[in-house]
Amino acid sequence: MIKVVIIGNGNVAQHLLKVMLKTDEVTIVQVFARNKNNISHLITENRITSNYDEIEEADVYIISVSDNAITEVSSHLPFKDRLVVHTSGTSELSVLDNKNRKGVFYPLQTFSKSKVVDFSTIPICLETENESDYKTLEILANLISKKAYAISSEQRKSLHVAAVFVCNFVNHLYQIGNQICNENRVPFEILQPLIIETANKITELSPKEAQTGPALRNDTKTIEKHIEFLQNSNYQELYKLLTQSIQNV
């Protein structure tokens, strides 16, 4: 049985809390949250605190707050020589206070409070200062996911940048596509099978092998028609930039 205290009440904290509450081998000892109302729908109020001095003993303390707050939160913890980890994709191990043993427990996924996720498929990137703490995090990760990886701080930075390209930027392109459809009274759902097939295809092919479209074919007439069709100058520039980037590859 692994005893866990979760510090934070944002998207990642709430998803971790939900999955760990369902895991028999994990005990959620406590949740630290400045506003109990943000988390009380998931766990009883007697297991929520906003007082650092009331934080109870556990095997792992998971700090799941904004990157800017990790150092401050870890410095306020009133104990020493315990395993304290953060869930950030971009913050180094060193942002944690030196008085405790440090680690990273980074689930690489996009989280929204209203969207249920299958945690068993989520890769969890782990980093610690010593092997015994790594084993503890590995056991915890394997209790909620089928995929745990030893990833250094520098590697995690590269993953996070790559994730912005394949997730955040791609989703912004979905938004643009959705707007284009709305402006022309076309149901966006018509594009959804294409989106799903494109995502599924890269499980079998490399992204480079999966690339299709007028930019790859250097279909200049189609490209010119598309640019002419787009009335939004920002969309035009983005179309040109992505077209050129595909052709450069």
Side-chain angles (χ1 to χ4, degrees), residues 165-183:
F165 274 93
V166 303
C167 175
N168 305 133
F169 289 168
V170 169
N171 190 74
H172 180 63
L173 296 179
Y174 293 160
Q175 179 192 341
I176 292 173
N178 189 32
Q179 185 168 336
I180 291 170
C181 286
N182 289 341
E183 289 172 353

Side-chain angles (χ1 to χ4, degrees), residues 87-198:
T87 60
S88 169
T90 57
S91 299
E92 298 88 349
L93 204 63
S94 59
V95 301
L96 293 165
D97 195 279
N98 290 328
K99 65 189 173 187
N100 284 297
R101 307 192 315 275
K102 304 175 185 179
V104 176
F105 193 89
Y106 170 51
L108 202 168
Q109 186 53 277
T110 175
F111 292 101
S112 300
K113 288 179 182 176
S114 59
K115 178 69 170 64
V116 177
V117 296
D118 179 3
F119 233 98
S120 67
T121 66
I122 296 176
I124 300 181
C125 303
L126 308 176
E127 183 181 9
T128 60
E129 294 178 306
N130 62 66
E131 187 174 345
S132 62
D133 285 338
Y134 183 87
K135 289 294 182 185
T136 299
L137 291 189
E138 187 177 41
I139 292 169
L140 180 59
N142 287 332
L143 289 172
I144 62 175
S145 172
K146 297 175 182 176
K147 301 178 180 181
Y149 299 88
I151 301 291
S152 70
S153 289
E154 198 62 29
Q155 289 174 319
R156 196 170 60 258
K157 282 183 187 177
S158 69
L159 272 174
H160 198 265
V161 172
V164 168
F165 274 93
V166 303
C167 175
N168 305 133
F169 289 168
V170 169
N171 190 74
H172 180 63
L173 296 179
Y174 293 160
Q175 179 192 341
I176 292 173
N178 189 32
Q179 185 168 336
I180 291 170
C181 286
N182 289 341
E183 289 172 353
N184 292 274
R185 300 186 300 279
V186 177
F188 180 67
E189 65 184 35
I190 294 175
L191 293 175
Q192 289 174 356
L194 174 64
I195 293 170
I196 293 169
E197 174 59 22
T198 303

Side-chain angles (χ1 to χ4, degrees), residues 25-36:
E25 296 87 350
V26 177
T27 297
I28 298 295
V29 176
Q30 200 176 40
V31 175
F32 178 93
R34 296 188 186 279
N35 188 342
K36 291 185 177 182

Side-chain angles (χ1 to χ4, degrees), residues 6-19:
I6 294 178
I7 301 171
N9 61 343
N11 284 343
V12 177
Q14 290 196 24
H15 279 279
L16 284 172
L17 177 58
K18 288 176 185 177
V19 71

Side-chain angles (χ1 to χ4, degrees), residues 186-248:
V186 177
F188 180 67
E189 65 184 35
I190 294 175
L191 293 175
Q192 289 174 356
L194 174 64
I195 293 170
I196 293 169
E197 174 59 22
T198 303
N200 287 339
K201 192 159 56 170
I202 61 167
T203 64
E204 299 178 13
L205 301 173
S206 72
K208 184 176 181 179
E209 292 171 324
Q211 186 69 57
T212 61
L216 182 72
R217 298 190 300 269
N218 196 28
D219 186 348
T220 54
K221 288 186 177 180
T222 298
I223 292 170
E224 289 170 3
K225 286 180 181 178
H226 286 176
I227 293 171
E228 183 181 354
F229 175 84
L230 292 169
Q231 299 300 306
N232 186 309
S233 60
N234 290 331
Y235 294 173
Q236 288 179 338
E237 289 306 310
L238 186 57
Y239 187 102
K240 292 176 184 177
L241 182 65
L242 290 174
T243 294
Q244 189 62 58
S245 182
I246 291 170
Q247 292 178 336
N248 289 345

